[in-house]
Amino acid sequence: MLVPIPIVCFVGTLVTDIAYWSTANLQWANFSAWLLSIGLVASVFAGLAGAIDFFGDRAIRRLRPAWIHASGNALALILAIVNAFVHSRDAYTSVVPTGLILSALVVVILLVTGWNGAELIHRHRVGVQPGERA
């Protein structure tokens, strides 16, 4: 239940970056920085829970989608941290073009890792009790 918070925040960062790029209204750049900060804090907790699942079960580590999911989420987190430093600069240089590109990369990576996470649940039944529907 921790995962949706950083996803929404990172997608929201991309949306507010696009809004700033379109309007040059400084408040959109502020929203981006706030969403990034909240997303990073929440992703630490989601990442810890994911790492416990990943490293705690050898069967999960044998699955290719688990590796894509884990390494992709780690990459997204690293890029989001870099993006937070970029967004700490002056408004225009914090968004255009580097912040906008980083925000888009994070969202694309999250789409790939989300697909692999869903495959882990629905195809490989990771985290699903026997007899329970995913």
Side-chain angles (χ1 to χ4, degrees):
M1 295 312 299
L2 298 169
V3 174
I5 298 168
I7 291 172
V8 167
C9 288
F10 294 148
V11 170
T13 300
L14 176 60
V15 170
T16 54
D17 280 353
I18 292 169
Y20 175 75
W21 180 46
S22 300
T23 66
N25 184 337
L26 182 61
Q27 194 59 35
W28 290 116
N30 292 336
F31 288 151
S32 292
W34 297 337
L35 284 165
L36 259 173
S37 299
I38 294 166
L40 285 171
V41 170
S43 66
V44 168
F45 294 106
L48 284 172
I52 290 169
D53 283 347
F54 183 76
F55 292 111
D57 190 343
R58 189 177 318 218
I60 292 174
R61 289 194 306 274
R62 288 188 193 123
L63 301 172
R64 184 170 186 258
W67 284 95
I68 295 169
H69 184 72
S71 59
N73 283 336
L75 178 61
L77 180 57
I78 290 167
L79 288 176
I81 291 169
V82 171
N83 201 9
F85 284 114
V86 169
H87 275 79
S88 69
R89 299 188 305 210
D90 195 31
Y92 188 78
T93 59
S94 73
V95 175
V96 181
T98 310
L100 187 58
I101 292 168
L102 286 170
S103 294
L105 279 173
V106 168
V107 170
V108 168
I109 291 169
L110 290 177
L111 286 169
V112 172
T113 61
W115 183 274
N116 282 277
E119 186 174 334
L120 287 170
I121 294 167
H122 297 288
R123 184 170 175 217
H124 298 287
R125 312 292 292 165
V126 171
V128 179
Q129 296 293 326
E132 186 178 8
R133 297 181 72 193

